Structure formats: C-alpha cells, structure tokens
Amino acid sequence: MSSTQQLQDFVTQVRRDILRQVHAVNSGHPGGSLGCAEFFSVLFQEVLNASTDFDMDGKEEDLFFLSNGHISPVYYSVLARSGYFPVQELNTFRKLDSRLQGHPTTHEGLPGVRIASGSLGQGMSVAIGAALTKKLNGDQHLVYSLHGDGELQEGQNWEAIMYAGSHGVDNLIATVDYNKKQIDGATDDVLPLGSLRKKFEAFDWDVIDVKEGNNLEAIRNAFKEAKAKTGNKKPIVILMHTEMGNGVDFMMNTHAWHGKAPNDEQLESALAQNPETLGDY
Amino acid sequence: MKTYENTGSKDTRSGFGAGLTELGKTNPNVVALCADLTGSLKMDEFKANHPERFFQVGIAEANMIGLAAGMTIGGKIPFTGTFANFSTGRVYDQIRQSVAYSGKNVKICASHAGITLGEDGATHQILEDLGLMKMLPGMTVINTCDFNQTKAATKAIAAHNGPVYLRFGRPKVANFTPENQTFEIGKAVHLQEGTDVSIIATGHLVWEALEAAKRLHEKGITTDVINIHTIKPLDEAAIINSAKKTGCIVTAEEHNFLGGLGESVARTLAQHHPTPQEFVATQDTFGESGTPAELMEKYGLNAKSIVEKAEKVIARK
Ligand SMILES: Cc1ncc(C[n+]2csc(CCOP(=O)(O)OP(=O)(O)O)c2C)c(N)n1
Ligand SMILES: [Mg+2]
C-alpha cells in the first residue's frame, strides 16, 4: 500500500471492525486494540516481508508475535484484511467453535498466529527464541513483537530482555504499546514502570521513542529507523506512545475501555466517528 | 426429597468479596494482595476500607505469592487474588517452595476458574488447577458452589492456620445454601438422601447435581447428593458411606477428569470400597471461547449429562 490516504482508510476500517467484533459478543478488549490500529496497519501493510499463504515455520520471511493477546480484535481485523483469512470470519469472534478465540491461539489453526498468548508476559521470550532460530537457520529476516506496557510488570519479560541484550539478538524489533494504562488504572498508580528507556538501555537494547504512536508517518519512520539499526549486536525496542481507545472520543483518556464492549448506542456513536471505508464484514 | 430454593443468582466471586470485606472489619491481621484485577476479584471494598492493608502488586503474580509468603512472617494473614490460571499454573513453584513447603499461612483466592469464564477462551480457563493444588503436601483445596458458601468459606479459611487454595468463579449461579452457614473445612454437605445412585459434586456443578436429582426422581430413581466443597482434605467417610448405600457414584466438577475431585473419589473407593463410578468432567481437553451455558453444554458439564452418567452407572451395578 502506498498512499497515506489509502492506509488511513484501512486504519479506519480496522477501528470499525474492532468495535463491531466486541459489540457483537459484548466482551473483548477495544481500548488497547484501538490504540494499536496504526501500528498493526503499517506493520502488516507495509513493513512485514511475509506471505499470507501461512506457514508455521515462516522460514525466509519476517515473523510477528503478539504478546498482549487481549488486543486480538485489532490483530484479527488486520490479519483478515491483509488476506490471511476471510474477512467474514470476523463474525465468529469469541463465539463457540470459532478460530477467532478471545485470545489468539494456534490450537484452532488461525492463519497468522504462531503462538498462543493471553496469559501476559510470555511473548518476549518466544519472539527471542524465534529470532535465535532465524540466526541458526542463516535466515536474514526479522522478528517483530508487540507488548503491553502493563504487561512489562511481569518478571519474565526482564529475564528475556536481559538474555536478548547480553546475547546481541539484533534481528528482533520489539514494540511496547506505551499507553500508560492497564486494567486497574494508570500504570503510574498500579505499579510505576519508571523510565523504560533507561531500563532497556541498561539491558543493552537500542531504544526508539515514538511520541505519536497513533500517527502513521511517525510509525513508518520508527520502523525505518529500527530496521536500519538491526544487525548491530543489539535488540531494538520501540516505545510507542499511544492513546488507549484512540479514534473514539468517549473511549480516550480513560482506562475504562480496556476490556469493556460498547452498547448499541455507544457503538453507533463510535462508528459515526469512523465511517465505513473498505466495507464492513 | 428436599427442595432447595435459589434465593437469587449471584457470582461466587462476589461471595469472596463479601467475606473479605467482613474479615477486614473483624480481623486486623488479614491483608489482601491483588495483581491488577481488583474489580474482577471484588476486592474494591476491602481496598477502600483498608488502603493500608491492601497491596496492588501490578501484573506480577509470582512476586505477589512471594510477598504473601513473606508477610506471614510476623503474623499477617495474606489473601492473594487473581484469576485461577494466574493463581496456580503461573506461580506453581513459588507456591510450592515459598508457601506449601515452607508451611506459610497464605490464602490463594482464585476467581474465573474453569470453563464458565466464557468468552476469554482457553488461555484463561484453567481446568487443571485442582489437580495442581491438591498434589502439594499440606495444601487445603476448596471449591465452593454458591455465593453464600463462598462467603462462609472465605471467613473460615482465615481462622484455619495453613496454606489454602480457594477456587470460585465468574458467572452468576443459583444461590441456595444457607445465608449464615458455618463452613467446616473438610466436611461434606449432604444435600439429598437416596439409595439408587450417589452424585458427588463440587463448585458450580452442585446446583446442576440437585437439578439432575430432580429429573432422576421423576424417573423413579432416588439420589444421594453430596456437596464436596473441600477436595483436600477429602471427607472420605461421607463418600464411603454413600457408596455403601447406593452402590454407584457419579462425580461432577468443572475440571479435567484427570487430577480433579473424581480421581480423589476413585482413589478413596478403590482403597476402601470399590464402586462403579462415572465422571462428569472435561475429557483431557482445553476449553474455548463461548458463553458459559454453551460451554457447559458442549463439554458435558450440566444436569443433563449428570443424568446420563447416573443412568449409565446404575446399569453397571
Ligand atoms: C499473567 C496475566 N495476569 C493477568 C492478566 C489479566 N489481564 C489482562 S490484560 C491486563 C492488563 C494489561 O495491561 P497492558 O499490558 O498495559 O494492556 P492494555 O490495558 O494497555 O491494553 C491484565 C492484568 C493476564 N491476562 N495475564
Ligand atoms: Mg497499557
């Protein structure tokens, strides 16, 4: 995809998909999903060098791992609209016998998913493992991953971050959805993260700050910068400052929509703010 | 046949919240820890009443268990709260070494257990936790059936010295046990008297067992219904006596048939009074997304399947 307008239309449709998925089953996580709509759209439409003809081993292609699995609605929408599976299947989200489980899973064989996530804090290790295999295989392609900021409170992340830093896993670009919110409130109230930049740097990572994590150009530039930094003996992390609930006025500036679906009226208002572009499923 | 009345469906986790609120007022040594799920665990009221005794640890369950173990040293009684999966599998070795082996007075309180967690799906639906916890030496394992029983159990475990795993859930279920019951750890509750078949149930399956007994009664079959709220230590006498009376057993639980209540009952009977038994439980599978009722139907965890298993086991006598 080339023009920014085209990509913006894609993002808007993804926002509609997120809202409609969670509304239909009155459950799921719109907040983080909406905040990462630009990230997923740029990644899958422009950055990932990967085949939609899904193969679990993903040899000679880029890989992506979603560690904060609760934002499955944005993942599913972007996978479907990028050609991994029929867009119509978004109708089955969280329903019995669906491949679109509440949290992403390999168990039901959804194309695009290479590891289950949902229990937080495990994806960083998996992404590093996959990056190590790429090196063993002499595969030059990259591994991308996404993590929640609250999720970084899990200690396993720091075991993984320490490993990747000290072993120079430089074919990994991890991104943190730095929305400063989690279930019980602001991360600063729940368990302050302190300076993530300083923490990652102390573990020998290269850190890129994206102040406007909901700006397409800013994300494009961050990925360019990150790719240019690969192969330099350091893993790379993008601290992506996003707005939870971005694109829906009443879902922003609060953690309330982390895991709550809109009712009929709220859906109508939210969809009016994100007019149909590519056609609803 | 005794009749039981649903006095208004409520979630068992709210029973935990209500019990904890009471404990906050009556026992100054009770402290509570939570890992970014305060609302889901219904711990808000305790937090509001006793901010100095409430510890928000963030999304860091392993640390939470360790902190709790440490807080017992000096006399506090820590109640940890998160989902059942993150209360057990996530932190098994922390519980094993710092709590169970070290003999610490920690109360591990676990909500959203089993398949009735619903739409979140298998990553969150632990069906193995009873097995994990009952295998730990010295661990008391409790799975309550309704709001009132959960509230009573929450209060009772504070008075018990030793590690406890208290399992409850998310959906609203019938509330039918007495409001101000005394909860006796390790003591089965006899709900119906019958001679044709025994149904031994725990957790959300207890109300389904009562429903099944009604349906069996209409077919002329009388049922002994026993509520085992304490999986460990198990009330072996109650099980053996019932088996002697009816000659066949159905166990019912929202858990894998490997490692759950059914296996504890089977072991007891194999040792003391071998008896035909059928298992209402999940069959060594993970769960999936869906509504609680759909999932209970698909995975055979309701009154209908208890009736089927009862008829099957009667035929095996
Ligand atoms: C191990 C584990 N503990 C707790 C949870 C429950 N949980 C789901 S999402 C969430 C908050 C995550 O915060 P963050 O990573 O910042 O994501 P955001 O709310 O910004 O989408 C929690 C505590 C979980 N899924 N896994
Ligand atoms: Mg966050």
Side-chain angles (χ1 to χ4, degrees), chain A residues 29-33 36 68-71 103 117-122 147-154 177-185 187 193 242 244 255 257-259, chain B residues 35-37 58-61 82-83 85-86 90 120 123-124:
Chain A
H29 301 78
S33 295
C36 291
N68 45 334
H70 60 278
I71 68 169
H103 295 77
S117 59
S119 182
L120 293 167
Q122 304 189 20
H147 312 265
D149 52 357
E151 186 186 14
L152 291 181
Q153 292 160 351
E154 288 288 358
D177 175 20
Y178 203 3
N179 59 18
K180 304 194 174 64
K181 294 181 185 70
Q182 57 191 106
I183 291 185
D184 279 356
T187 50
L193 300 167
T242 59
M244 188 184 266
H255 64 275
W257 297 91
H258 156 93
Chain B
D36 196 23
L37 286 169
I59 313 169
E61 295 81 9
T82 181
F83 292 170
N85 185 34
F86 316 136
R90 180 87 193 179
D120 271 346
T123 52
H124 289 49

Side-chain angles (χ1 to χ4, degrees), chain B residues 250-272:
Chain B
V250 176
T251 50
E253 62 195 308
E254 192 182 342
H255 191 273
N256 194 351
F257 80 114
L258 299 173
L261 168 68
E263 277 199 353
S264 289
V265 169
R267 183 205 35 82
T268 302
L269 294 174
Q271 215 171 350
H272 302 288

Side-chain angles (χ1 to χ4, degrees), chain B residues 41-235:
Chain B
L41 266 285
K42 305 291 177 190
M43 296 168 95
D44 308 276
E45 215 172 320
F46 183 97
K47 178 187 170 186
N49 294 346
H50 315 284
E52 74 294 349
R53 284 195 269 148
F54 178 80
F55 299 83
Q56 166 65 267
V57 304
I59 313 169
E61 295 81 9
N63 186 42
M64 176 167 73
I65 296 296
L67 294 176
M71 290 179 88
T72 64
I73 300 166
K76 299 301 171 214
I77 308 171
F79 281 63
T80 64
T82 181
F83 292 170
N85 185 34
F86 316 136
S87 291
T88 58
R90 180 87 193 179
V91 293
Y92 196 64
D93 192 43
Q94 283 78 10
I95 295 175
R96 183 174 181 274
Q97 174 172 297
S98 303
V99 177
Y101 186 45
S102 299
K104 296 305 180 203
N105 194 22
V106 175
K107 316 303 170 187
I108 299 159
C109 303
S111 184
H112 293 53
I115 208 155
T116 52
L117 166 137
E119 291 85 350
D120 271 346
T123 52
H124 289 49
Q125 293 162 332
I126 195 162
L127 295 162
E128 309 92 45
D129 55 324
L130 292 177
L132 285 171
M133 290 297 117
K134 80 179 188 186
M135 283 196 297
L136 288 171
M139 182 66 74
T140 294
V141 180
I142 296 171
N143 185 188
T144 49
C145 68
D146 71 355
F147 175 95
N148 287 341
Q149 190 176 71
T150 310
K151 184 177 173 191
T154 303
K155 294 193 281 180
I157 63 176
H160 166 88
N161 188 23
V164 176
Y165 179 62
L166 176 62
R167 177 199 219 228
F168 44 91
R170 172 174 184 254
K172 290 193 164 67
V173 293
N175 188 27
F176 62 96
T177 65
E179 194 177 342
N180 287 313
Q181 62 193 286
T182 39
F183 185 91
E184 259 189 87
I185 295 171
K187 185 99 180 78
V189 183
H190 216 131
L191 293 173
Q192 293 289 6
E193 295 280 351
T195 53
D196 296 322
V197 60
S198 304
I199 304 174
I200 298 178
T202 191
H204 292 145
L205 270 289
V206 178
W207 180 254
E208 298 294 322
L210 288 171
E211 186 56 36
K214 267 196 251 170
R215 295 184 200 173
L216 289 164
H217 190 77
E218 284 161 17
K219 300 183 182 202
I221 296 166
T222 70
T223 309
D224 223 33
V225 179
I226 294 176
N227 170 205
I228 294 284
H229 51 59
T230 309
I231 315 275
K232 184 186 168 188
L234 189 63
D235 190 343

